[in-house]
Amino acid sequence: MAAVTFVVSLGIGSRATSPLAVWQALFGRGDAAVAALVSARLARAVLAAVVGVCAGMSGVLLQGLTRNPIADPGLLGMTAGGSMVVVIVMQVLGLATPTVIAVSSFVGVSLAAVVVAVIGLRVPRRRQALTMLLVGAAVMACANSIISALLVTNAQSLDLLRHWQVGSVSGVGLARLPGVLPFLLVGLALAMSSGRSLDALSLGEDTAHSLGHSVVRQRVMILGAAVLLTASATALAGPIAAVGLVAPHLVRRIVGVSHTPLLIGSAIAGATIVIVADTLGRVVAPPSEVAVGIMTAVIGAPVLLALARKAVSA
Amino acid sequence: MSRVVQEVESEDALIATLRSGRAARRRRVAIIVAALAVLLAGIVLARLTVLRPLISISDLIAVLSGRYVEGAGFVVWESSLPRATLGLIAGAALGASGGAMQSLLANPLASPDILGITSGASAAAVTALVLGGWNGPALAAAAFAGALAVVALMIAVGGRGTAAPTRMILVGVGMGMVFGALIHGILQRANIWQAREAMVWLVGSLARATWTDIGWVGLIVAITLPALVITGEQLRVLSLGPDVAQSLGVRVRRQRGIIVALVVVLVASVTSVCGPIAFVPLLAGPIARRLHGGRTNLVTAALVGACLVIASDHLASQAIANTALPAGVVTGLLGGPALLWFVVRSTKVQGVA
């Protein structure tokens, strides 16, 4: 599925390219212009896939960790925290190398995650979900006002950063990938090893404990994985909304509630969603493009509404 | 016989105690409101005089009475007075609507800014400005439609029953995120001048205000704010829960609808002129409640909101020489930490939500 959308996305854009031409370009034959086009699209598709994998998996991790169906790195304020620190570093220090962006994104995401987790864990169980969501919204509002404060005073950085701030995989290329890679790989490894602890946690803290799981350590590990993945996605493409929310819910219908297949499935679904959203964004309003962050937000809104309706039906 | 007399006497005593208690509370409210009004007047005066260079009180009186004063006249009429007036209107409207929503949804964090109502208004305003080139009343109408759309979704999905407020909060938070993404998307499409102008709707600023804008926003707020304060009297009963309120003779659904509608009008009209001034609705409500020992009082919330906005605007415009920051930056920077402290405190007591 992801592979198919990946290949199809190479052919679609404001200038349509036939599958044959794509095929030829991929293997170094055919028209040079088409080849350039396809290689640009290839970079975008790779980026979109990576971002989607990160978002989908961190959605599963956070939903499992908080035992709350409406959790997502965006809603919990984590991407906003990452963006904030990236914007501060880019503007105040004037640095924008891939490594700097990756590190500052990681710092910001961790900061937001710690704030939300610390406050969320102080309240009684049945109020936790809503409290975390509201704290996330508060962190988001806070981060956004700091970002705006910086941008409003400086037209140049506004021009530079508004393109990044929207969540986009275009014009980025693969240059940022190496700086992010260490975070990404550690995050993926942690995430893939946490399937069993997520299953145990979903039975409740006490049961998990009596099954011999060290609850606190596992929670820290899961949160760490989510932070690393979110930081990677944010550093690569800026804040991309709602993928982490939508992907796990789609996949849960197919593979059930066991977390290891859920993690793999959500990674694939996340990649598919981001590639499709990016491809759609290229063609909905030609000749300009709609950034992938907007497309996913639009796709995510109805899912969120449906979830909100279902989650609190009592 | 004697028992009856005793009972009557003790009932009288009870009523007397209740009466004196109520009178004491009313006095306390009056003192707080008066003190806040004095504080507000002081802040407005400071806004008009503590500038670079300072404007003396006698010059200010001369300017306001219509005489020509070299230098001071222009500053007062074109900058500080319109901004102070708009700050008063916007702050009062945002503060009162924050207090009303928080009380209605029984959650100290459920203010129009956190719930995406202001983001809805902002997103619609930015869209109308950048893509349609609208301004003036048309822009305000767009902002109103945006705020209304968010609230309509909140109500439609929230449905009925005891879980309705929770569902409304979920929808609101989600919509805030979606509209935030939309605003950024539209800013990206705009040219750089439009984007700078549209930034106002991300942070909130009083600097764009013209007297025409102030006139009609003032008119709308002058009608809806008193209406909200009057209907807000019912909030205390509503906060006992829908069942209790119903049995006490309150038409719960209708009252809720009216309060939400008034909040939408206030938030949308203010946002269309000066953008979402971050955190003012969120902060004004709890500050007012603390002053009143846990009771909701929308007049106090409005006064606190006005003080916050005017003071922040003053700080923002004067703090750094030659750099004019929008008011929303200061409220955002002050409000963020204050908000987190407040969340931590309130979770310690009884848990937010």
Side-chain angles (χ1 to χ4, degrees):
Chain A
M1 180 77 179
V4 171
T5 49
F6 187 91
V7 173
V8 169
S9 82
L10 299 180
I12 300 174
S14 52
R15 184 178 157 186
T17 317
S18 75
L20 183 69
V22 171
W23 186 259
Q24 283 175 339
L26 279 179
F27 292 95
R29 288 186 297 255
D31 192 5
V34 175
L37 195 68
V38 170
S39 87
R41 282 182 194 159
L42 184 66
R44 272 178 84 153
V46 169
L47 212 57
V50 172
V51 169
V53 166
C54 291
M57 285 179 109
S58 51
V60 175
L61 293 169
L62 290 172
Q63 285 169 17
L65 182 69
T66 59
R67 292 171 66 198
N68 165 18
I70 308 184
D72 156 59
L75 287 173
L76 294 183
M78 289 162 65
T79 40
S83 306
M84 180 187 79
V85 177
V86 170
V87 170
I88 291 175
V89 169
M90 275 165 103
Q91 173 151 7
V92 176
L93 303 180
L95 293 171
T97 65
T99 322
V100 169
I101 292 180
V103 172
S104 43
S105 159
F106 174 70
V107 170
V109 172
S110 331
L111 205 69
V114 167
V115 169
V116 174
V118 165
I119 296 177
L121 292 177
R122 296 169 79 110
V123 299
R125 176 82 250 169
R126 76 197 157 77
R127 293 185 158 178
Q128 240 169 41
L130 196 62
T131 304
M132 283 181 134
L133 207 59
L134 282 168
V135 175
V139 169
M140 204 168 5
C142 199
N144 281 338
S145 71
I146 291 173
I147 293 173
S148 308
L150 288 171
L151 295 191
V152 97
T153 51
N154 188 333
Q156 250 180 339
S157 32
L158 171 62
D159 202 29
L160 182 75
L161 287 166
R162 65 189 169 134
H163 294 291
W164 183 77
Q165 187 52 42
V166 70
S168 165
V169 291
S170 78
V172 178
L174 294 176
R176 282 191 198 155
L177 206 50
V180 172
L181 218 53
F183 295 96
L184 183 67
L185 292 179
V186 177
L188 282 177
L190 274 179
M192 285 319 297
S193 63
S194 55
R196 286 178 65 106
S197 19
L198 279 169
D199 285 340
L201 280 178
S202 71
L203 298 172
E205 233 164 278
D206 298 338
T207 320
H209 198 71
S210 63
L211 283 173
H213 289 266
S214 149
V215 174
V216 176
R217 214 188 64 205
Q218 286 178 346
R219 278 193 165 160
V220 170
M221 232 177 72
I222 296 166
L223 189 64
V227 165
L228 286 167
L229 291 176
T230 307
S232 311
T234 311
L236 286 174
I240 288 185
V243 178
L245 183 74
V246 176
H249 286 285
L250 288 178
V251 175
R252 209 168 277 140
R253 299 195 160 192
I254 304 168
V255 304
V257 292
S258 176
H259 277 89
T260 308
L262 191 58
L263 277 165
I264 299 169
S266 299
I268 297 169
T272 314
I273 293 172
V274 177
I275 295 175
V276 169
D278 183 43
T279 314
L280 276 180
R282 261 183 260 166
V283 292
V284 283
S288 65
E289 293 187 357
V290 177
V292 61
I294 315 292
M295 292 306 294
T296 55
V298 171
I299 295 170
V303 177
L304 184 76
L305 293 185
L307 284 174
R309 213 180 158 81
K310 215 175 67 179
V312 204
S313 49
Chain B
M1 183 68 193
S2 68
R3 255 188 75 195
V4 172
V5 170
Q6 220 174 16
E7 246 173 44
V8 168
E9 268 175 5
S10 70
E11 216 167 80
D12 281 346
L14 183 68
I15 289 171
T17 325
L18 278 178
R19 275 211 183 119
S20 73
R22 202 172 284 173
R25 212 177 300 132
R26 221 172 270 154
R27 264 200 306 281
R28 199 178 131 81
V29 170
I31 291 170
I32 290 171
V33 168
L36 277 174
V38 171
L39 178 68
L40 180 60
I43 291 176
V44 170
L45 194 64
R47 179 75 186 87
L48 296 179
T49 54
V50 187
L51 301 166
R52 286 169 221 232
L54 285 173
I55 293 175
S56 70
I57 304 272
S58 59
D59 274 357
L60 181 67
I61 294 169
V63 169
L64 291 180
S65 59
R67 268 176 285 151
Y68 176 78
V69 179
E70 180 75 40
F74 180 79
V75 172
V76 170
W77 282 114
E78 295 301 318
S79 164
S80 57
L81 190 61
R83 287 172 75 155
T85 318
L86 184 61
L88 188 72
I89 296 168
L94 292 176
S97 50
M101 283 303 277
Q102 287 159 342
S103 179
L104 190 70
L105 295 179
N107 190 313
L109 287 179
S111 70
D113 42 354
I114 298 290
L115 291 186
I117 301 177
T118 47
S119 327
S122 293
V126 172
T127 314
L129 178 84
V130 172
L131 302 185
W134 298 7
N135 49 37
L139 194 64
F144 182 74
L148 198 65
V150 172
V151 171
L153 270 177
M154 280 170 63
I155 292 172
V157 177
R160 298 180 197 190
T162 47
T166 311
R167 264 175 293 186
M168 284 169 80
I169 292 172
L170 289 178
V171 174
V173 169
M175 287 299 105
M177 192 182 73
V178 171
F179 280 114
L182 279 181
I183 296 174
H184 284 298
I186 288 158
L187 277 186
Q188 190 202 18
R189 299 173 69 91
N191 64 43
I192 185 69
W193 299 282
Q194 278 180 322
R196 285 209 84 176
E197 194 173 343
M199 278 300 285
V200 168
W201 279 282
L202 285 176
V203 255
S205 161
L206 304 179
R208 283 180 74 253
T210 61
W211 281 111
T212 347
D213 289 338
I214 294 172
W216 67 258
V217 176
L219 188 68
I220 295 174
V221 172
I223 298 166
T224 38
L225 188 59
L228 182 65
V229 171
I230 293 165
T231 26
E233 293 291 312
Q234 305 265 7
L235 279 170
R236 214 175 293 159
V237 188
L238 283 176
S239 69
L240 298 172
D243 300 338
V244 180
Q246 191 112 39
S247 66
L248 284 172
V250 176
R251 292 189 182 178
V252 174
R253 281 174 62 83
R254 208 182 72 169
Q255 286 300 325
R256 268 192 194 157
I258 292 174
I259 291 171
V260 170
L262 291 171
V263 166
V264 169
V265 172
L266 285 171
V267 169
S269 55
V270 168
T271 309
S272 72
V273 175
C274 47
I277 303 180
F279 292 123
V280 173
L282 183 81
L283 289 176
I287 293 175
R289 252 199 309 284
R290 178 151 299 178
L291 287 175
H292 287 294
R295 286 159 173 273
T296 302
N297 184 312
L298 297 185
V299 177
T300 315
L303 287 170
V304 171
C307 289
L308 274 176
V309 172
I310 301 175
S312 305
D313 179 50
H314 196 31
L315 257 180
S317 65
Q318 304 294 318
I320 309 168
N322 303 323
T323 310
L325 288 170
V329 167
V330 174
T331 56
L333 293 181
L334 292 179
L339 166 71
L340 288 178
W341 175 78
F342 161 74
V343 173
V344 170
R345 254 195 76 93
S346 63
T347 50
K348 221 186 271 175
V349 183
Q350 84 260 333
V352 194

